[in-house]
Amino acid sequence: MAAYVGFFEICYSNKGEHVFVSVALEAVGELVGQFAKSIGSYGVGSAGFKEKSKFRFDESFNYKEEPELAAALKTHFLEGIDIYFDNVGGAMLDAVILNMRDHNRIAVCGMISQYNKDKSEEFTIKLIKEWTIVYVEDIIDGLENAPLALIGLFKGKNVIKQVVLVARE
Ligand SMILES: NC(=O)c1ccc[n+]([C@@H]2O[C@H](COP(=O)([O-])OP(=O)(O)OC[C@H]3O[C@@H](n4cnc5c(N)ncnc54)[C@H](OP(=O)(O)O)[C@@H]3O)[C@@H](O)[C@H]2O)c1
């Protein structure tokens, strides 16, 4: 149920897409790999295991042998990942986020890399802390110019957020 609901319901996958699964040789991941193949998706699985023949994916890698997870993912997903079925959390999730495509979906089924950590080691998604949020305002000066600004919205003249500057304080 975890595999089925996560893949088909949470990620609403119903066509060929680029799918990545962590903990890919265990109960859940192994099923997700097969579901992905059954609808013509390209699937890549990761595990700390060397016997690649055991993977039911198009491609696979051993995350324990990869010095740089984001780079490893990039070699398998040149155009990015549509669906990440996350069984592990932690550093792998960070690396995956760097490789996701637009309109992607992530099913957070489990975070096994985090279960035994104490509070001081708790994982937070690094990228959120490191991202610089850019917020652009297109400022038009004076209330008397508000109609122009409003009309501009419907003609696409504004650059991102249109603001009318009424007073400087
Ligand atoms: N089974 C279920 O019914 C079910 C239901 C809901 C959610 N879940 C969640 O789904 C995930 C997978 O469950 P599962 O039952 O398929 O597998 P599992 O038996 O819980 O997975 C065990 C495997 O996880 C990997 N692992 C352990 N510690 C790790 C770490 N620190 N970093 C990276 N990998 C680690 C190891 O595989 P490698 O040797 O390959 O690294 C280990 O053999 C888990 O997070 C679980 O909590 C499971």
Side-chain angles (χ1 to χ4, degrees):
M1 283 304 286
Y4 183 90
V5 171
F7 187 65
F8 289 116
E9 304 287 332
I10 307 287
C11 295
Y12 53 92
S13 188
N14 56 13
K15 59 178 185 323
E17 290 181 293
H18 294 101
V19 178
F20 176 57
V21 184
S22 51
V23 192
L25 288 175
E26 306 300 332
V28 179
E30 206 200 32
L31 278 175
V32 176
Q34 293 169 73
F35 292 157
K37 285 211 83 143
S38 76
I39 56 168
S41 283
Y42 162 77
V44 178
S46 73
F49 202 78
K50 286 186 197 231
E51 265 186 77
K52 296 205 165 133
S53 60
K54 300 222 165 186
F55 283 91
R56 295 180 206 269
F57 291 80
D58 295 302
E59 291 181 38
S60 59
F61 66 92
N62 180 344
Y63 69 94
K64 290 180 179 164
E65 293 175 345
E66 297 294 341
E68 179 49 69
L69 291 174
L73 286 165
K74 184 88 189 158
T75 64
H76 293 285
F77 294 98
L78 292 177
E79 291 167 23
I81 299 167
D82 295 304
I83 290 176
Y84 175 41
F85 195 100
D86 188 10
N87 288 312
V88 73
M92 184 64 90
L93 178 56
D94 267 351
V96 169
I97 287 171
L98 288 172
N99 281 280
M100 296 303 276
R101 296 170 97 169
D102 288 349
H103 311 296
N104 66 73
R105 284 89 71 204
I106 299 179
V108 181
C109 178
M111 291 201 169
I112 197 162
S113 71
Q114 305 301 302
Y115 297 160
N116 294 323
K117 297 205 164 168
D118 64 32
K119 201 114 186 104
S120 64
E121 293 177 299
E122 250 175 20
F123 169 72
T124 51
I125 298 174
K126 277 200 207 90
L127 291 165
I128 289 179
K129 286 192 282 183
E130 288 164 10
W131 267 338
T132 305
I133 304 295
V134 177
Y135 188 75
V136 178
E137 289 183 336
D138 183 351
I139 299 173
I140 191 163
D141 209 349
L143 188 57
E144 66 280 13
N145 288 317
L148 269 184
L150 183 63
I151 292 165
L153 290 181
F154 296 98
K155 294 184 174 169
K157 288 201 166 165
N158 58 305
V159 180
I160 309 187
K161 177 74 182 168
Q162 179 71 67
V163 174
V164 177
L165 182 65
V166 178
R168 282 179 204 279
E169 293 202 343

